Amino acid sequence: MTAAPEPVRRGRGRRPADEVRGDILKAAGELLLAEGMAAFTIERVANAAGASKMTIYKWWPSKGALALDGYFAAVRDTLAFPDTGDIAADLTTQLLAFVRLMTRTRAGRVVVELVGQAQTDPDLSAAFREHYSGPRRAFAAEAIGRAQQRGQIRPGVDPQVLVDQLWGACYHRLLIPDEPLTEEFAVALVANLMTGIGTPARGA
Amino acid sequence: MTAAPEPVRRGRGRRPADEVRGDILKAAGELLLAEGMAAFTIERVANAAGASKMTIYKWWPSKGALALDGYFAAVRDTLAFPDTGDIAADLTTQLLAFVRLMTRTRAGRVVVELVGQAQTDPDLSAAFREHYSGPRRAFAAEAIGRAQQRGQIRPGVDPQVLVDQLWGACYHRLLIPDEPLTEEFAVALVANLMTGIGTPARGA
């Protein structure tokens, strides 16, 4: 037993900050994916991680920021960008993993609730962009940039526009479900962009 | 003064149903665009249209259905699909009108609030799809189908996927505003799809 300045639980004693931070993120991601944003509280994350609420508030300014960081950590491996050297194959692989995550786990429900709530909650909107969508956009732009350097994507194409035409198109089906989010859809998104939808005869 | 079965206001007497319906839709669209969904009530629409709440409930099952029909009627002319025979030009014209509507009027704010609220309100979600996004998808698919018949878009392309890669991409920027919704963006969306982003050398 040490004279720790903050409550220490489960008799673990003082742990390195990195380990505590990792435990908190893991607990946050698991709680969010298991029960959704409605059940997500800093107190529950603190209990599950064996950390104090004070520690959490030291690192995260709000519940939304913690939820988004936990979510990002939970899905990072699943949504990693492969780099086989073939951008069409890599984009398809990554989008298929994204579609499966969104449709086969609670992640899709969590994301649409977060985006939904963010429309009337500026703090959550900022947290979503800073802790989730901003970093994810950067990963995608990097992968697309590498393909441009390899000469597989035309140099004039703005990688950020492609993010909206690939993942943004998936978010559209999640948020306004007129049409289903399927693996065929993911494959078609990449094919339409890589090959183009126009015919050589167009405008003739 | 007639013995009308419902309250008649502003001394107009009984009006044809079509005219009343049109007035209600106009009042609903104007209220929504002027003050947003938070201020939108059936009572205020009834007062503005000189109709009774009972009349409104006869035609619309919910506040959401009325709001969406009013919104659809208000933006229909602005978002009409031109048909010049050149699909790339027509899609660009329509998307530019859409982007201007979303960024220069309160329509963008209204749409993101409706979509946001729909994530936790199944009735509003159903109303949005039935009264707004479903019919708008149909218009777009029609225009794209005509271009396929003219040989300007490859026959194997699914028009519904293009809806997500064009308007869905715009919704993505509205709902998760990491990047701005601009006219340049609208132009790039069409160009990327029509021409394709790949280089002839890709895969070499």
Side-chain angles (χ1 to χ4, degrees):
Chain A
M1 291 296 151
T2 68
E6 20 184 274
V8 170
R9 306 183 187 208
R10 296 183 186 166
R12 289 185 189 181
R14 259 189 132 158
R15 291 172 288 155
D18 274 3
E19 190 187 311
V20 176
R21 194 183 160 85
D23 286 354
I24 293 168
L25 283 177
K26 189 159 174 283
E30 282 172 358
L31 177 59
L32 196 61
L33 287 175
E35 304 193 30
M37 195 61 192
F40 189 92
T41 64
I42 288 196
E43 182 149 19
R44 289 189 65 186
V45 175
N47 286 338
S52 74
K53 285 167 68 175
M54 201 192 297
T55 301
I56 293 180
Y57 279 117
K58 204 170 63 188
W59 285 325
W60 288 276
S62 68
K63 190 175 89 162
L66 173 60
L68 267 308
D69 268 3
Y71 181 75
F72 189 85
V75 302
R76 186 169 37 202
D77 290 349
T78 307
L79 299 185
F81 274 84
D83 187 8
T84 66
D86 177 344
I87 188 65
D90 288 351
L91 288 173
T92 303
T93 301
Q94 205 283 342
L95 278 162
L96 287 173
F98 177 69
V99 166
R100 287 180 200 126
L101 180 73
M102 291 296 132
T103 54
R104 296 185 192 173
T105 76
R106 283 188 58 100
R109 188 72 226 136
V110 167
V111 161
V112 300
E113 277 178 13
L114 286 169
V115 174
Q117 207 180 315
Q119 302 315 313
T120 48
D121 179 341
D123 289 342
L124 184 64
S125 176
F128 190 92
R129 285 176 280 135
E130 186 184 335
H131 296 267
Y132 184 69
S133 59
R136 296 248 31 117
R137 263 191 186 269
F139 283 131
E142 239 172 67
I144 294 164
R146 284 194 303 268
Q148 287 180 310
Q149 286 174 344
R150 287 194 304 260
Q152 294 180 327
I153 290 180
R154 286 189 285 109
V157 170
D158 179 352
Q160 293 298 343
V161 176
L162 298 185
V163 171
D164 299 288
Q165 293 191 286
L166 294 168
W167 296 273
C170 295
Y171 275 96
H172 187 234
R173 290 207 168 186
L174 279 174
L175 290 159
I176 308 174
D178 288 305
E179 296 284 328
L181 182 60
T182 63
E183 300 194 7
E184 293 69 32
F185 176 68
V187 170
L189 292 175
V190 177
N192 284 349
L193 282 166
M194 289 306 294
T195 319
I197 60 168
T199 54
R202 81 171 194 280
Chain B
M1 292 293 153
T2 69
E6 20 185 274
V8 170
R9 307 186 186 204
R10 296 181 185 168
R12 288 184 187 183
R14 261 189 132 157
R15 291 172 287 153
D18 274 3
E19 189 186 311
V20 175
R21 193 183 161 86
D23 285 355
I24 293 169
L25 283 177
K26 188 159 174 284
E30 283 171 358
L31 177 58
L32 196 61
L33 287 175
E35 304 193 31
M37 195 61 191
F40 189 92
T41 64
I42 288 195
E43 182 149 20
R44 289 189 65 185
V45 175
N47 285 338
S52 73
K53 284 165 69 173
M54 201 192 299
T55 301
I56 292 180
Y57 279 117
K58 203 171 62 189
W59 285 325
W60 289 276
S62 67
K63 190 175 89 162
L66 174 61
L68 266 308
D69 269 2
Y71 182 74
F72 189 86
V75 302
R76 186 169 37 203
D77 290 349
T78 306
L79 299 185
F81 275 84
D83 187 7
T84 66
D86 177 345
I87 188 65
D90 288 351
L91 288 173
T92 303
T93 301
Q94 205 283 341
L95 279 162
L96 287 173
F98 176 69
V99 166
R100 287 179 200 126
L101 180 73
M102 292 295 133
T103 54
R104 296 184 193 173
T105 76
R106 283 188 58 99
R109 188 71 225 136
V110 167
V111 161
V112 300
E113 276 178 14
L114 287 168
V115 174
Q117 207 180 315
Q119 302 314 313
T120 48
D121 180 340
D123 289 342
L124 185 63
S125 176
F128 190 92
R129 286 177 281 136
E130 185 183 337
H131 296 266
Y132 185 69
S133 59
R136 297 252 24 121
R137 262 191 188 269
F139 282 132
E142 237 173 69
I144 294 165
R146 284 194 302 268
Q148 286 181 311
Q149 286 173 343
R150 287 193 305 259
Q152 294 180 326
I153 291 180
R154 285 189 287 109
V157 170
D158 179 352
Q160 293 298 344
V161 176
L162 297 185
V163 171
D164 299 288
Q165 294 191 285
L166 294 169
W167 296 273
C170 295
Y171 274 96
H172 187 233
R173 291 206 168 187
L174 280 174
L175 289 159
I176 308 175
D178 289 305
E179 296 283 329
L181 182 60
T182 63
E183 300 193 7
E184 293 70 31
F185 176 69
V187 170
L189 292 175
V190 177
N192 284 348
L193 283 165
M194 289 306 293
T195 319
I197 61 168
T199 54
R202 82 169 191 281

